[in-house]
Amino acid sequence: MLISMWGPGDLLVFVGTQGEPTLAGQRGRLLGLAEFAPIAVATEDFVDRSGLRAHDLNLDGTFVYPKALPILRAWRFDDPRMKLIDVLKEQLTYEATIRAVLLDADDSTTVLALPRTEIILPQTEMPLSATFAKPTTGPRPSDWSGEMSRTAAVTAYTYALRFGSRDLWKIGHAQDLAARLQDINKHIPHEILGEKWGLVMQQEWQSSVGAYEMEQRVLARLQMHRTEGERVLCQGAVVIAAWRSSLREN
């Protein structure tokens, strides 16, 4: 259900429940925010079992939730004493204890304005290449002039597209992300295939240079999986691990 509600740039707010398994000092309090990738992965690939508690596992040792949505970035609210009822207009419904619910515009603005600190996520142990050949980088963004003009010093995005539900990905950067996605899909006979490129991850930058540099960091980490151009063929967990790793390097 969360994947069906997802939109580019969406964030998830974590709130402590009023009972177990939430720790006593965190119950009913706003804990933090996270940006996630809208792709289901095996929990086993992203979670360190040594940090789990009893309620996370079934009696046979398998995960209670075998599938998960990987977190790309996370933030902790600076004031750990903030209670939900002191920040939002009203208490959340019972539905929020079992699934994500959408905050209205006023509550979203209030929560996003709260002071917070980004958390360094643990390194995901995925089979990424440690050494690689020099990738095809494409042209580095720069200013130019002619009958038209373009500047690299405007907001741009690094993106990760997925082809349908397949393990085929495209990594790139663009100033107008919506237009770029539309243009790429123009060349796909989706009327016959029933599939097209879809946006899974994006990272905003102040300039095309920053977006380009992240694109190249991600592609370098995925060098062993590259096929043609900016496309890579591998499991989503591998792409997500490369994405997260390139963010930490910024």
Side-chain angles (χ1 to χ4, degrees), residues 204-217:
E204 181 177 328
W205 299 93
Q206 293 182 347
S207 72
S208 290
V209 174
Y212 166 83
E213 289 176 345
M214 179 178 175
E215 169 201 296
Q216 294 305 309
R217 292 196 298 271

Side-chain angles (χ1 to χ4, degrees), residues 163-166 168 185 187-197:
F163 190 69
S165 59
R166 301 173 187 269
L168 181 62
N185 277 321
H187 308 287
I188 302 298
H190 52 82
E191 303 91 337
I192 297 175
L193 298 177
E195 294 177 294
K196 61 173 63 175
W197 292 103

Side-chain angles (χ1 to χ4, degrees), residues 39-234:
I39 175 174
V41 298
T43 304
E44 188 80 50
D45 291 339
F46 283 84
V47 174
D48 181 359
R49 282 180 171 267
S50 64
L52 298 180
R53 291 184 284 174
H55 64 270
D56 295 317
L57 299 172
N58 296 311
L59 293 178
D60 62 359
T62 58
F63 285 94
V64 172
Y65 300 104
K67 294 291 185 179
L69 298 180
I71 291 176
L72 302 175
R73 302 180 71 181
W75 296 264
R76 178 187 293 111
F77 289 125
D78 292 345
D79 186 355
R81 301 167 297 176
M82 287 191 304
K83 292 186 177 180
L84 178 147
I85 57 175
D86 295 330
V87 177
L88 304 186
K89 296 193 298 291
E90 58 186 23
Q91 184 64 267
L92 295 175
T93 63
Y94 174 77
E95 185 182 10
T97 65
I98 55 177
R99 62 175 59 89
V101 296
L102 187 64
L103 294 180
D104 64 26
D106 290 340
D107 281 339
S108 295
T109 299
T110 300
V111 170
L112 292 176
L114 296 172
R116 61 184 188 266
T117 301
E118 186 163 6
I119 300 170
I120 302 301
L121 299 174
Q123 178 69 47
T124 303
E125 296 299 329
M126 297 299 298
L128 301 180
S129 176
T131 59
F132 43 83
K134 182 177 178 61
T136 301
T137 62
R140 185 181 182 86
S142 61
D143 296 340
W144 65 277
S145 63
E147 292 184 2
M148 299 178 63
S149 63
R150 179 188 68 186
T151 177
V154 297
T155 300
Y157 302 86
T158 309
Y159 60 78
L161 308 181
R162 187 184 188 188
F163 190 69
S165 59
R166 301 173 187 269
D167 288 332
L168 181 62
W169 299 76
K170 180 176 177 60
I171 311 299
H173 74 280
Q175 292 180 353
D176 188 333
L177 192 50
R180 177 60 174 153
L181 180 60
Q182 183 180 36
D183 182 63
I184 292 173
N185 277 321
K186 283 181 180 178
H187 308 287
I188 302 298
H190 52 82
E191 303 91 337
I192 297 175
L193 298 177
E195 294 177 294
K196 61 173 63 175
W197 292 103
L199 178 65
V200 175
M201 292 179 286
Q202 65 175 37
Q203 177 61 40
E204 181 177 328
W205 299 93
Q206 293 182 347
S207 72
S208 290
V209 174
Y212 166 83
E213 289 176 345
M214 179 178 175
E215 169 201 296
Q216 294 305 309
R217 292 196 298 271
V218 176
L219 287 173
R221 286 164 171 77
L222 298 172
Q223 177 64 22
M224 65 183 295
H225 304 290
R226 292 182 68 171
T227 55
E228 294 289 336
E230 300 167 332
R231 297 200 301 268
V232 294
L233 185 62
C234 61

